[in-house]
PDB file of all heavy atoms in Angstrom:
ATOM      1  N   SER A 295       0.818  -1.166  -0.003  1.00 98.00           N
ATOM      2  CA  SER A 295       0.032   0.016   0.021  1.00 98.00           C
ATOM      3  C   SER A 295       0.859   1.237   0.008  1.00 98.00           C
ATOM      4  O   SER A 295       1.967   1.208   0.592  1.00 98.00           O
ATOM      5  CB  SER A 295      -0.922   0.040   1.220  1.00 98.00           C
ATOM      6  OG  SER A 295      -1.763  -1.086   1.230  1.00 98.00           O
ATOM      7  N   CYS A 296       0.403   2.293  -0.625  1.00 98.00           N
ATOM      8  CA  CYS A 296       1.049   3.574  -0.638  1.00 98.00           C
ATOM      9  C   CYS A 296       0.001   4.621  -0.321  1.00 98.00           C
ATOM     10  O   CYS A 296      -0.805   4.950  -1.164  1.00 98.00           O
ATOM     11  CB  CYS A 296       1.645   3.836  -2.023  1.00 98.00           C
ATOM     12  SG  CYS A 296       2.385   5.454  -2.267  1.00 98.00           S
ATOM     13  N   ALA A 297       0.072   5.077   0.938  1.00 97.00           N
ATOM     14  CA  ALA A 297      -0.937   6.099   1.426  1.00 97.00           C
ATOM     15  C   ALA A 297      -0.341   7.498   1.203  1.00 97.00           C
ATOM     16  O   ALA A 297       0.812   7.733   1.565  1.00 97.00           O
ATOM     17  CB  ALA A 297      -1.205   5.830   2.847  1.00 97.00           C
ATOM     18  N   ALA A 298      -1.168   8.362   0.678  1.00 94.00           N
ATOM     19  CA  ALA A 298      -0.787   9.668   0.392  1.00 94.00           C
ATOM     20  C   ALA A 298      -1.469  10.686   1.319  1.00 94.00           C
ATOM     21  O   ALA A 298      -2.641  10.516   1.670  1.00 94.00           O
ATOM     22  CB  ALA A 298      -1.045  10.024  -1.059  1.00 94.00           C
ATOM     23  N   SER A 299      -0.712  11.712   1.626  1.00 91.00           N
ATOM     24  CA  SER A 299      -1.258  12.837   2.399  1.00 91.00           C
ATOM     25  C   SER A 299      -0.743  14.122   1.774  1.00 91.00           C
ATOM     26  O   SER A 299       0.335  14.132   1.166  1.00 91.00           O
ATOM     27  CB  SER A 299      -0.994  12.743   3.877  1.00 91.00           C
ATOM     28  OG  SER A 299       0.408  12.806   4.062  1.00 91.00           O
ATOM     29  N   GLY A 300      -1.447  15.209   2.017  1.00 88.00           N
ATOM     30  CA  GLY A 300      -0.943  16.520   1.563  1.00 88.00           C
ATOM     31  C   GLY A 300      -1.680  16.953   0.259  1.00 88.00           C
ATOM     32  O   GLY A 300      -1.761  18.149  -0.024  1.00 88.00           O
ATOM     33  N   ARG A 301      -2.076  15.989  -0.564  1.00 85.00           N
ATOM     34  CA  ARG A 301      -2.791  16.338  -1.750  1.00 85.00           C
ATOM     35  C   ARG A 301      -3.450  15.095  -2.260  1.00 85.00           C
ATOM     36  O   ARG A 301      -3.024  13.954  -1.975  1.00 85.00           O
ATOM     37  CB  ARG A 301      -1.908  16.967  -2.869  1.00 85.00           C
ATOM     38  CG  ARG A 301      -0.852  16.081  -3.440  1.00 85.00           C
ATOM     39  CD  ARG A 301      -0.219  16.693  -4.632  1.00 85.00           C
ATOM     40  NE  ARG A 301      -1.164  16.779  -5.781  1.00 85.00           N
ATOM     41  CZ  ARG A 301      -0.812  17.300  -6.921  1.00 85.00           C
ATOM     42  NH1 ARG A 301       0.317  17.889  -7.089  1.00 85.00           N
ATOM     43  NH2 ARG A 301      -1.704  17.336  -7.904  1.00 85.00           N
ATOM     44  N   THR A 302      -4.443  15.271  -3.135  1.00 87.00           N
ATOM     45  CA  THR A 302      -5.176  14.128  -3.690  1.00 87.00           C
ATOM     46  C   THR A 302      -4.273  13.451  -4.802  1.00 87.00           C
ATOM     47  O   THR A 302      -3.457  14.081  -5.462  1.00 87.00           O
ATOM     48  CB  THR A 302      -6.525  14.548  -4.324  1.00 87.00           C
ATOM     49  OG1 THR A 302      -7.125  13.417  -4.910  1.00 87.00           O
ATOM     50  CG2 THR A 302      -6.261  15.598  -5.379  1.00 87.00           C
ATOM     51  N   LEU A 303      -4.491  12.146  -4.871  1.00 87.00           N
ATOM     52  CA  LEU A 303      -3.793  11.383  -5.925  1.00 87.00           C
ATOM     53  C   LEU A 303      -4.596  11.332  -7.256  1.00 87.00           C
ATOM     54  O   LEU A 303      -4.178  10.777  -8.194  1.00 87.00           O
ATOM     55  CB  LEU A 303      -3.521   9.963  -5.457  1.00 87.00           C
ATOM     56  CG  LEU A 303      -2.545   9.799  -4.283  1.00 87.00           C
ATOM     57  CD1 LEU A 303      -2.340   8.308  -3.977  1.00 87.00           C
ATOM     58  CD2 LEU A 303      -1.246  10.478  -4.574  1.00 87.00           C
ATOM     59  N   ARG A 304      -5.738  11.987  -7.248  1.00 87.00           N
ATOM     60  CA  ARG A 304      -6.617  11.839  -8.336  1.00 87.00           C
ATOM     61  C   ARG A 304      -6.051  12.338  -9.673  1.00 87.00           C
ATOM     62  O   ARG A 304      -6.267  11.812 -10.753  1.00 87.00           O
ATOM     63  CB  ARG A 304      -7.945  12.667  -8.115  1.00 87.00           C
ATOM     64  CG  ARG A 304      -8.764  12.036  -7.075  1.00 87.00           C
ATOM     65  CD  ARG A 304     -10.072  12.867  -6.852  1.00 87.00           C
ATOM     66  NE  ARG A 304     -10.859  12.449  -5.695  1.00 87.00           N
ATOM     67  CZ  ARG A 304     -11.845  11.479  -5.832  1.00 87.00           C
ATOM     68  NH1 ARG A 304     -12.087  10.974  -7.011  1.00 87.00           N
ATOM     69  NH2 ARG A 304     -12.435  11.141  -4.785  1.00 87.00           N
ATOM     70  N   SER A 305      -5.169  13.376  -9.556  1.00 88.00           N
ATOM     71  CA  SER A 305      -4.634  14.028 -10.737  1.00 88.00           C
ATOM     72  C   SER A 305      -3.133  13.852 -10.936  1.00 88.00           C
ATOM     73  O   SER A 305      -2.424  14.715 -11.440  1.00 88.00           O
ATOM     74  CB  SER A 305      -4.970  15.510 -10.730  1.00 88.00           C
ATOM     75  OG  SER A 305      -4.443  16.127  -9.556  1.00 88.00           O
ATOM     76  N   VAL A 306      -2.611  12.758 -10.400  1.00 93.00           N
ATOM     77  CA  VAL A 306      -1.191  12.419 -10.595  1.00 93.00           C
ATOM     78  C   VAL A 306      -0.979  11.044 -11.092  1.00 93.00           C
ATOM     79  O   VAL A 306      -1.813  10.162 -10.874  1.00 93.00           O
ATOM     80  CB  VAL A 306      -0.407  12.672  -9.299  1.00 93.00           C
ATOM     81  CG1 VAL A 306      -0.482  14.073  -8.770  1.00 93.00           C
ATOM     82  CG2 VAL A 306      -0.855  11.674  -8.158  1.00 93.00           C
ATOM     83  N   THR A 307       0.128  10.821 -11.738  1.00 96.00           N
ATOM     84  CA  THR A 307       0.559   9.529 -12.129  1.00 96.00           C
ATOM     85  C   THR A 307       1.286   8.861 -10.959  1.00 96.00           C
ATOM     86  O   THR A 307       2.090   9.483 -10.292  1.00 96.00           O
ATOM     87  CB  THR A 307       1.452   9.588 -13.344  1.00 96.00           C
ATOM     88  OG1 THR A 307       0.682   9.940 -14.531  1.00 96.00           O
ATOM     89  CG2 THR A 307       2.168   8.246 -13.637  1.00 96.00           C
ATOM     90  N   MET A 308       0.934   7.589 -10.658  1.00 96.00           N
ATOM     91  CA  MET A 308       1.550   6.835  -9.531  1.00 96.00           C
ATOM     92  C   MET A 308       2.285   5.632 -10.056  1.00 96.00           C
ATOM     93  O   MET A 308       1.726   4.862 -10.813  1.00 96.00           O
ATOM     94  CB  MET A 308       0.462   6.456  -8.566  1.00 96.00           C
ATOM     95  CG  MET A 308      -0.227   7.619  -7.828  1.00 96.00           C
ATOM     96  SD  MET A 308       0.985   8.569  -6.847  1.00 96.00           S
ATOM     97  CE  MET A 308       1.549   7.336  -5.715  1.00 96.00           C
ATOM     98  N   GLY A 309       3.492   5.525  -9.569  1.00 97.00           N
ATOM     99  CA  GLY A 309       4.328   4.408 -10.016  1.00 97.00           C
ATOM    100  C   GLY A 309       4.909   3.623  -8.835  1.00 97.00           C
ATOM    101  O   GLY A 309       4.999   4.151  -7.710  1.00 97.00           O
ATOM    102  N   TRP A 310       5.238   2.406  -9.063  1.00 98.00           N
ATOM    103  CA  TRP A 310       5.996   1.578  -8.165  1.00 98.00           C
ATOM    104  C   TRP A 310       7.385   1.220  -8.750  1.00 98.00           C
ATOM    105  O   TRP A 310       7.420   0.829  -9.963  1.00 98.00           O
ATOM    106  CB  TRP A 310       5.253   0.263  -7.815  1.00 98.00           C
ATOM    107  CG  TRP A 310       4.142   0.402  -6.879  1.00 98.00           C
ATOM    108  CD1 TRP A 310       2.784   0.578  -7.204  1.00 98.00           C
ATOM    109  CD2 TRP A 310       4.166   0.454  -5.479  1.00 98.00           C
ATOM    110  NE1 TRP A 310       2.048   0.694  -6.067  1.00 98.00           N
ATOM    111  CE2 TRP A 310       2.869   0.579  -4.961  1.00 98.00           C
ATOM    112  CE3 TRP A 310       5.217   0.383  -4.533  1.00 98.00           C
ATOM    113  CZ2 TRP A 310       2.510   0.664  -3.614  1.00 98.00           C
ATOM    114  CZ3 TRP A 310       4.924   0.403  -3.165  1.00 98.00           C
ATOM    115  CH2 TRP A 310       3.629   0.537  -2.720  1.00 98.00           C
ATOM    116  N   PHE A 311       8.373   1.342  -8.027  1.00 98.00           N
ATOM    117  CA  PHE A 311       9.748   1.031  -8.393  1.00 98.00           C
ATOM    118  C   PHE A 311      10.331   0.132  -7.364  1.00 98.00           C
ATOM    119  O   PHE A 311       9.910   0.118  -6.226  1.00 98.00           O
ATOM    120  CB  PHE A 311      10.573   2.331  -8.583  1.00 98.00           C
ATOM    121  CG  PHE A 311      10.132   3.171  -9.742  1.00 98.00           C
ATOM    122  CD1 PHE A 311       9.010   4.021  -9.561  1.00 98.00           C
ATOM    123  CD2 PHE A 311      10.751   3.121 -10.996  1.00 98.00           C
ATOM    124  CE1 PHE A 311       8.535   4.796 -10.660  1.00 98.00           C
ATOM    125  CE2 PHE A 311      10.333   3.923 -11.989  1.00 98.00           C
ATOM    126  CZ  PHE A 311       9.227   4.736 -11.868  1.00 98.00           C
ATOM    127  N   ARG A 312      11.414  -0.567  -7.706  1.00 98.00           N
ATOM    128  CA  ARG A 312      12.121  -1.414  -6.753  1.00 98.00           C
ATOM    129  C   ARG A 312      13.634  -1.308  -6.964  1.00 98.00           C
ATOM    130  O   ARG A 312      14.088  -1.008  -8.015  1.00 98.00           O
ATOM    131  CB  ARG A 312      11.617  -2.811  -6.808  1.00 98.00           C
ATOM    132  CG  ARG A 312      11.991  -3.581  -8.125  1.00 98.00           C
ATOM    133  CD  ARG A 312      11.293  -4.908  -8.144  1.00 98.00           C
ATOM    134  NE  ARG A 312      11.666  -5.645  -9.348  1.00 98.00           N
ATOM    135  CZ  ARG A 312      11.129  -6.863  -9.617  1.00 98.00           C
ATOM    136  NH1 ARG A 312      10.189  -7.354  -8.897  1.00 98.00           N
ATOM    137  NH2 ARG A 312      11.510  -7.510 -10.746  1.00 98.00           N
ATOM    138  N   GLN A 313      14.338  -1.552  -5.896  1.00 98.00           N
ATOM    139  CA  GLN A 313      15.761  -1.549  -5.957  1.00 98.00           C
ATOM    140  C   GLN A 313      16.364  -2.623  -5.047  1.00 98.00           C
ATOM    141  O   GLN A 313      16.049  -2.690  -3.876  1.00 98.00           O
ATOM    142  CB  GLN A 313      16.337  -0.199  -5.585  1.00 98.00           C
ATOM    143  CG  GLN A 313      17.853  -0.106  -5.771  1.00 98.00           C
ATOM    144  CD  GLN A 313      18.319   1.337  -5.660  1.00 98.00           C
ATOM    145  OE1 GLN A 313      17.729   2.167  -5.039  1.00 98.00           O
ATOM    146  NE2 GLN A 313      19.532   1.641  -6.245  1.00 98.00           N
ATOM    147  N   ALA A 314      17.060  -3.562  -5.690  1.00 96.00           N
ATOM    148  CA  ALA A 314      17.744  -4.625  -4.974  1.00 96.00           C
ATOM    149  C   ALA A 314      19.145  -4.202  -4.639  1.00 96.00           C
ATOM    150  O   ALA A 314      19.690  -3.289  -5.319  1.00 96.00           O
ATOM    151  CB  ALA A 314      17.752  -5.865  -5.845  1.00 96.00           C
ATOM    152  N   PRO A 315      19.757  -4.811  -3.595  1.00 92.00           N
ATOM    153  CA  PRO A 315      21.133  -4.436  -3.213  1.00 92.00           C
ATOM    154  C   PRO A 315      22.096  -4.577  -4.414  1.00 92.00           C
ATOM    155  O   PRO A 315      22.116  -5.567  -5.045  1.00 92.00           O
ATOM    156  CB  PRO A 315      21.411  -5.391  -2.091  1.00 92.00           C
ATOM    157  CG  PRO A 315      20.095  -5.732  -1.521  1.00 92.00           C
ATOM    158  CD  PRO A 315      19.136  -5.794  -2.687  1.00 92.00           C
ATOM    159  N   GLY A 316      22.868  -3.515  -4.606  1.00 94.00           N
ATOM    160  CA  GLY A 316      23.836  -3.558  -5.705  1.00 94.00           C
ATOM    161  C   GLY A 316      23.324  -3.381  -7.057  1.00 94.00           C
ATOM    162  O   GLY A 316      23.991  -3.409  -8.064  1.00 94.00           O
ATOM    163  N   LYS A 317      22.021  -3.114  -7.196  1.00 96.00           N
ATOM    164  CA  LYS A 317      21.365  -2.893  -8.512  1.00 96.00           C
ATOM    165  C   LYS A 317      20.778  -1.538  -8.600  1.00 96.00           C
ATOM    166  O   LYS A 317      20.460  -0.885  -7.580  1.00 96.00           O
ATOM    167  CB  LYS A 317      20.333  -3.972  -8.755  1.00 96.00           C
ATOM    168  CG  LYS A 317      20.910  -5.394  -8.832  1.00 96.00           C
ATOM    169  CD  LYS A 317      19.857  -6.376  -9.272  1.00 96.00           C
ATOM    170  CE  LYS A 317      20.416  -7.779  -9.482  1.00 96.00           C
ATOM    171  NZ  LYS A 317      19.395  -8.759  -9.906  1.00 96.00           N
ATOM    172  N   GLU A 318      20.522  -1.142  -9.806  1.00 96.00           N
ATOM    173  CA  GLU A 318      19.830   0.150 -10.032  1.00 96.00           C
ATOM    174  C   GLU A 318      18.353   0.065  -9.740  1.00 96.00           C
ATOM    175  O   GLU A 318      17.744  -1.033  -9.873  1.00 96.00           O
ATOM    176  CB  GLU A 318      20.065   0.694 -11.450  1.00 96.00           C
ATOM    177  CG  GLU A 318      21.559   0.952 -11.709  1.00 96.00           C
ATOM    178  CD  GLU A 318      21.718   1.680 -13.123  1.00 96.00           C
ATOM    179  OE1 GLU A 318      20.754   1.710 -13.819  1.00 96.00           O
ATOM    180  OE2 GLU A 318      22.849   2.064 -13.409  1.00 96.00           O
ATOM    181  N   ARG A 319      17.780   1.199  -9.466  1.00 97.00           N
ATOM    182  CA  ARG A 319      16.307   1.278  -9.316  1.00 97.00           C
ATOM    183  C   ARG A 319      15.669   0.867 -10.622  1.00 97.00           C
ATOM    184  O   ARG A 319      16.108   1.297 -11.712  1.00 97.00           O
ATOM    185  CB  ARG A 319      15.882   2.607  -8.895  1.00 97.00           C
ATOM    186  CG  ARG A 319      14.378   2.836  -8.783  1.00 97.00           C
ATOM    187  CD  ARG A 319      14.076   4.259  -8.431  1.00 97.00           C
ATOM    188  NE  ARG A 319      14.389   4.535  -7.044  1.00 97.00           N
ATOM    189  CZ  ARG A 319      14.550   5.722  -6.496  1.00 97.00           C
ATOM    190  NH1 ARG A 319      14.381   6.829  -7.250  1.00 97.00           N
ATOM    191  NH2 ARG A 319      14.780   5.905  -5.238  1.00 97.00           N
ATOM    192  N   GLU A 320      14.601   0.026 -10.569  1.00 97.00           N
ATOM    193  CA  GLU A 320      13.923  -0.370 -11.791  1.00 97.00           C
ATOM    194  C   GLU A 320      12.445  -0.181 -11.679  1.00 97.00           C
ATOM    195  O   GLU A 320      11.851  -0.314 -10.574  1.00 97.00           O
ATOM    196  CB  GLU A 320      14.249  -1.794 -12.133  1.00 97.00           C
ATOM    197  CG  GLU A 320      13.670  -2.860 -11.210  1.00 97.00           C
ATOM    198  CD  GLU A 320      13.869  -4.322 -11.720  1.00 97.00           C
ATOM    199  OE1 GLU A 320      14.205  -4.441 -12.904  1.00 97.00           O
ATOM    200  OE2 GLU A 320      13.603  -5.212 -10.904  1.00 97.00           O
ATOM    201  N   PHE A 321      11.827   0.106 -12.787  1.00 98.00           N
ATOM    202  CA  PHE A 321      10.396   0.283 -12.915  1.00 98.00           C
ATOM    203  C   PHE A 321       9.714  -1.033 -12.663  1.00 98.00           C
ATOM    204  O   PHE A 321      10.137  -2.073 -13.124  1.00 98.00           O
ATOM    205  CB  PHE A 321      10.066   0.830 -14.292  1.00 98.00           C
ATOM    206  CG  PHE A 321       8.636   0.706 -14.632  1.00 98.00           C
ATOM    207  CD1 PHE A 321       7.674   1.559 -14.089  1.00 98.00           C
ATOM    208  CD2 PHE A 321       8.196  -0.223 -15.596  1.00 98.00           C
ATOM    209  CE1 PHE A 321       6.336   1.414 -14.443  1.00 98.00           C
ATOM    210  CE2 PHE A 321       6.880  -0.347 -15.902  1.00 98.00           C
ATOM    211  CZ  PHE A 321       5.951   0.452 -15.370  1.00 98.00           C
ATOM    212  N   VAL A 322       8.551  -0.949 -11.973  1.00 98.00           N
ATOM    213  CA  VAL A 322       7.717  -2.122 -11.674  1.00 98.00           C
ATOM    214  C   VAL A 322       6.343  -1.988 -12.404  1.00 98.00           C
ATOM    215  O   VAL A 322       5.920  -2.755 -13.193  1.00 98.00           O
ATOM    216  CB  VAL A 322       7.541  -2.403 -10.235  1.00 98.00           C
ATOM    217  CG1 VAL A 322       6.640  -3.598 -10.006  1.00 98.00           C
ATOM    218  CG2 VAL A 322       8.893  -2.623  -9.602  1.00 98.00           C
ATOM    219  N   ALA A 323       5.602  -0.898 -11.973  1.00 98.00           N
ATOM    220  CA  ALA A 323       4.238  -0.707 -12.488  1.00 98.00           C
ATOM    221  C   ALA A 323       3.886   0.729 -12.393  1.00 98.00           C
ATOM    222  O   ALA A 323       4.342   1.464 -11.502  1.00 98.00           O
ATOM    223  CB  ALA A 323       3.264  -1.583 -11.700  1.00 98.00           C
ATOM    224  N   VAL A 324       2.904   1.190 -13.201  1.00 98.00           N
ATOM    225  CA  VAL A 324       2.446   2.561 -13.115  1.00 98.00           C
ATOM    226  C   VAL A 324       0.967   2.609 -13.484  1.00 98.00           C
ATOM    227  O   VAL A 324       0.496   1.878 -14.306  1.00 98.00           O
ATOM    228  CB  VAL A 324       3.295   3.500 -14.033  1.00 98.00           C
ATOM    229  CG1 VAL A 324       3.141   3.029 -15.510  1.00 98.00           C
ATOM    230  CG2 VAL A 324       2.877   4.974 -13.922  1.00 98.00           C
ATOM    231  N   ASP A 325       0.264   3.516 -12.788  1.00 96.00           N
ATOM    232  CA  ASP A 325      -1.117   3.868 -13.056  1.00 96.00           C
ATOM    233  C   ASP A 325      -1.077   5.308 -13.429  1.00 96.00           C
ATOM    234  O   ASP A 325      -0.867   6.224 -12.592  1.00 96.00           O
ATOM    235  CB  ASP A 325      -1.976   3.622 -11.868  1.00 96.00           C
ATOM    236  CG  ASP A 325      -3.485   3.900 -12.097  1.00 96.00           C
ATOM    237  OD1 ASP A 325      -3.780   4.884 -12.857  1.00 96.00           O
ATOM    238  OD2 ASP A 325      -4.330   3.191 -11.602  1.00 96.00           O
ATOM    239  N   SER A 326      -1.250   5.580 -14.744  1.00 94.00           N
ATOM    240  CA  SER A 326      -1.029   6.956 -15.203  1.00 94.00           C
ATOM    241  C   SER A 326      -2.213   7.833 -15.304  1.00 94.00           C
ATOM    242  O   SER A 326      -3.309   7.341 -15.558  1.00 94.00           O
ATOM    243  CB  SER A 326      -0.276   6.898 -16.583  1.00 94.00           C
ATOM    244  OG  SER A 326      -1.125   6.217 -17.523  1.00 94.00           O
ATOM    245  N   TRP A 327      -2.030   9.059 -15.031  1.00 91.00           N
ATOM    246  CA  TRP A 327      -3.056  10.087 -15.154  1.00 91.00           C
ATOM    247  C   TRP A 327      -3.000  10.657 -16.558  1.00 91.00           C
ATOM    248  O   TRP A 327      -1.932  10.771 -17.162  1.00 91.00           O
ATOM    249  CB  TRP A 327      -2.816  11.225 -14.137  1.00 91.00           C
ATOM    250  CG  TRP A 327      -3.881  12.274 -14.149  1.00 91.00           C
ATOM    251  CD1 TRP A 327      -5.049  12.281 -13.461  1.00 91.00           C
ATOM    252  CD2 TRP A 327      -3.854  13.497 -14.868  1.00 91.00           C
ATOM    253  NE1 TRP A 327      -5.730  13.429 -13.718  1.00 91.00           N
ATOM    254  CE2 TRP A 327      -5.014  14.192 -14.573  1.00 91.00           C
ATOM    255  CE3 TRP A 327      -2.967  14.101 -15.681  1.00 91.00           C
ATOM    256  CZ2 TRP A 327      -5.286  15.464 -15.030  1.00 91.00           C
ATOM    257  CZ3 TRP A 327      -3.186  15.371 -16.229  1.00 91.00           C
ATOM    258  CH2 TRP A 327      -4.354  16.031 -15.892  1.00 91.00           C
TER     259      TRP A 327
END
């Protein structure tokens, strides 16, 4: 879960990324606005 505060998520693109030890951050999934 990714809970947001401070502004609504209705009008933004939200993504999930991951980073394993010794590796670069990589894209996982996105729900785009």
Side-chain angles (χ1 to χ4, degrees):
S295 299
C296 173
S299 61
R301 63 170 292 177
T302 178
L303 295 183
R304 292 179 185 271
S305 58
V306 297
T307 287
M308 292 299 300
W310 285 97
F311 293 80
R312 67 187 182 185
Q313 187 168 20
K317 296 187 178 181
E318 292 187 356
R319 176 182 285 165
E320 67 172 349
F321 163 74
V322 176
V324 61
D325 183 322
S326 61
W327 183 84

